[in-house]
Amino acid sequence: MGIVAGLESSAEYTRIVVCDADSGAVVRHGYADHPDPREDPQSWLMSLGRAAGGGQFADVEAIGVAAQQQGLIVTDSAGAALRPALLGNDRRVQPAAADLVDALGGREAWAQAVGAVPQAAHPVSKLRWLARNEPENAARVAGVLQPHDWLVWQLLGRPLRRTTDRGDASGTGYWSASLEMYRPDLVELALGHQVAMPDVLAPAEPAGRTPEGLLISAGTGETMAAAFGLGLGLGDAVISLGASGSVFAVHHEALADPTGTITSYADATGMHLPAVRTLNATRVLRGTAELLGTDLDGLSELALKSSPGAYGLVLLPYLEGEHTPDLPHTAGSLHGLRRESMKPEHMARAAVEGMLCGLADALDVLRGRGVQVRRLFLLGQAAGLPAVQAVAPALFGAQVVVPRPADYTATGAARQAAWAMSGTGMPPRWPAAECQVFDAGEELAAGQAVRQQYEAVREETHPGAFKR
């Protein structure tokens, strides 16, 4: 059918993957870091130019764009950016997010309205911050875009029409994944006046063509593109092991959660990606490794010398407070210390089990709402640790899949481009990701006993904090 390209514009770099549209085979790559200042959208274009400078787009017929999520570019009536982009989880914005929660009547009101409770990351919170801190800029805002929207618009030659997709729109805080429509009243609540918002395209709907004739697909956010690149479907869930953690799953409908624990994202295929986040994941392992005078690999080796339950040690891994359960001002705690358990290997094992049990709590929130989990994909550097791979299946009670490291976000963007170019109702069937598969086997009973031990300590320490 032809050659397509997927473009990933993260917070730090641009990556390009060029693929055969029929088979998904990778033809060539491109890469460049973003120059400083990285909050300047022009730096993303400069990075794109460098990444494509080796002829990466030669013979390409369609391009898909995936970019860092929940950044906000505000434009004037002529389409010019009024200020540098407000990116990601800008901590300055959290008071504005809390202000917005109260302004609409609380967490449940927001969850019912758009499937999410405002956090610092949400563009709707950034609009409130702008109104409170830069009123002159706020008064001039005529349009709002996210990074992927802005890049698509630039590639198309800055046409009058601006577009986004349902995946990226679902992270704004002013688009409802359940109703699949904007809530302009929430934009006005945040900013004080109405603005132009990009049209939300269907998953396979093209955004348009470049002046040179290249087809540009709808594009999407990084998480949605990675899910598409991995080939996730119903029954699949993902646990992302960054410094903090997130759990999301493919589901057939949006989930409204009155507590705000679940954020109801849409995906890039027409399905939904309900997500639950934790504040503590790999940072728990790094902190413990530092305490024990080793690194992540050394921590893993130590943990494997211990046994399930870590000789009674239980680590509640709330080192940065916690979002799931909602304990923002608490601290981590170590329980069950006895003379025989005060050894490095048991401490290492307790860190691995504590981190994974915290994520298992997040997974249980989704399971409690009817989300089926057949396979559980582990992503992130810690997913490759032998101790994590050995412990996770029994604690999660599911088959654990660890994909081979690859450019899944850029690949998902390329697959979307091939879909838009084909004009068919279903996306192209590209090969599934190469993975290692781990099953609980005979360790399932021991893993569930560890979960019970962890839950008993959590409930004794923070009674009633965890609500499924």
Side-chain angles (χ1 to χ4, degrees):
M1 183 169 61
I3 303 296
V4 296
L7 161 66
E8 176 191 0
S9 182
S10 78
E12 299 179 348
Y13 60 80
T14 297
R15 191 184 306 277
I16 295 170
V17 172
V18 179
C19 302
D20 179 87
D22 290 316
S23 68
V26 175
V27 177
R28 52 187 175 266
H29 300 263
Y31 178 90
D33 290 323
H34 293 333
D36 291 327
R38 290 176 175 175
E39 66 272 16
D40 180 0
Q42 293 300 325
S43 74
W44 314 337
L45 283 181
M46 293 172 64
S47 174
L48 169 57
R50 293 172 183 170
Q56 274 73 13
F57 288 154
D59 304 321
V60 166
E61 298 177 47
I63 299 173
V65 177
Q68 56 182 303
Q69 291 170 228
Q70 297 183 314
L72 179 68
I73 302 106
V74 291
T75 65
D76 63 16
S77 57
L82 288 168
R83 66 177 318 283
L86 289 163
L87 298 182
N89 195 11
D90 189 325
R91 293 184 179 272
R92 297 175 298 171
V93 180
Q94 191 56 52
D99 186 27
L100 272 181
V101 173
D102 293 338
L104 193 65
R107 300 170 67 87
E108 184 171 356
W110 278 98
Q112 293 296 333
V114 290
V117 176
Q119 299 292 330
H122 287 101
V124 72
S125 303
K126 295 176 172 69
L127 288 175
R128 173 55 71 102
W129 182 89
L130 201 66
R132 294 288 185 265
N133 293 274
E134 299 180 7
E136 292 185 3
N137 278 336
R140 297 176 59 203
V141 176
V144 291
L145 297 169
Q146 293 187 87
H148 124 251
D149 312 335
W150 189 86
L151 286 166
V152 166
W153 185 53
Q154 295 293 324
L155 289 172
L156 293 175
R158 298 164 61 96
L160 290 176
R161 186 193 190 204
R162 303 175 197 181
T163 62
T164 189
D165 88 303
R166 57 196 297 278
D168 232 5
S170 65
T172 60
Y174 45 77
W175 188 86
S176 167
S178 60
L179 299 177
E180 304 227 357
M181 61 182 291
Y182 281 117
R183 288 289 304 268
D185 58 311
L186 300 181
V187 173
E188 186 166 1
L189 177 69
L191 187 64
H193 62 89
Q194 295 292 333
V195 299
M197 293 174 282
D199 294 343
V200 181
L201 301 176
E205 184 179 357
R209 290 187 178 273
T210 70
E212 298 77 23
L214 292 178
L215 185 74
I216 305 296
S217 63
T220 193
E222 283 184 304
T223 297
M224 296 77 188
F228 198 37
L230 282 166
L232 302 186
L234 286 172
D236 291 333
V238 171
I239 289 183
S240 180
L241 299 173
S244 56
S246 66
V247 182
F248 65 86
V250 180
H251 198 51
H252 65 278
E253 64 180 353
L255 296 178
D257 174 23
T259 71
T261 303
I262 299 173
T263 297
S264 195
Y265 293 113
D267 79 346
T269 71
M271 301 291 282
H272 295 268
L273 292 175
V276 178
R277 67 186 183 94
T278 69
L279 297 182
N280 300 279
T282 305
R283 63 165 44 100
V284 177
L285 304 187
R286 292 193 184 281
T288 307
E290 184 176 342
L291 179 69
L292 297 176
T294 186
D295 56 14
L296 289 181
D297 291 328
L299 183 84
S300 178
E301 291 179 14
L302 282 171
L304 289 174
K305 295 177 182 178
S306 183
S307 55
Y311 267 63
L313 283 185
V314 175
L315 176 66
L316 296 183
Y318 307 147
L319 306 188
E320 297 287 331
E322 191 47 82
H323 182 268
T324 307
D326 186 24
L327 296 166
H329 306 300
T330 193
S333 52
L334 184 64
H335 302 257
L337 276 173
R338 293 182 175 84
R339 179 67 186 87
E340 63 270 19
S341 64
M342 296 177 68
K343 295 182 179 180
E345 60 266 32
H346 304 321
M347 182 67 185
R349 180 83 181 204
V352 172
E353 291 179 346
M355 178 193 74
L356 292 175
C357 282
L359 290 159
D361 279 351
L363 182 64
D364 281 351
V365 172
L366 295 180
R367 283 171 160 160
R369 293 296 305 278
V371 176
Q372 299 299 310
V373 178
R374 177 173 52 88
R375 295 187 302 175
L376 189 57
F377 286 73
L378 285 187
L379 304 181
Q381 182 183 4
L385 297 176
V388 170
Q389 295 170 354
V391 173
L395 289 186
F396 292 132
Q399 184 182 80
V400 168
V401 178
V402 180
R404 179 181 64 83
D407 302 326
Y408 295 110
T409 298
T411 299
R415 189 179 178 207
Q416 187 197 62
W419 191 10
M421 190 169 70
S422 73
T424 60
M426 296 296 292
R429 292 184 176 274
W430 285 9
E434 295 182 21
C435 302
Q436 291 179 281
V437 179
F438 302 91
D439 291 298
E442 296 179 356
E443 297 296 319
L444 181 59
Q448 295 309 293
V450 172
R451 281 295 311 278
Q452 291 170 9
Q453 176 179 264
Y454 177 89
E455 290 167 5
V457 171
R458 184 201 64 218
E459 188 60 25
E460 181 180 356
T461 309
H462 304 287
F466 181 68
K467 302 177 179 65
R468 300 192 183 191

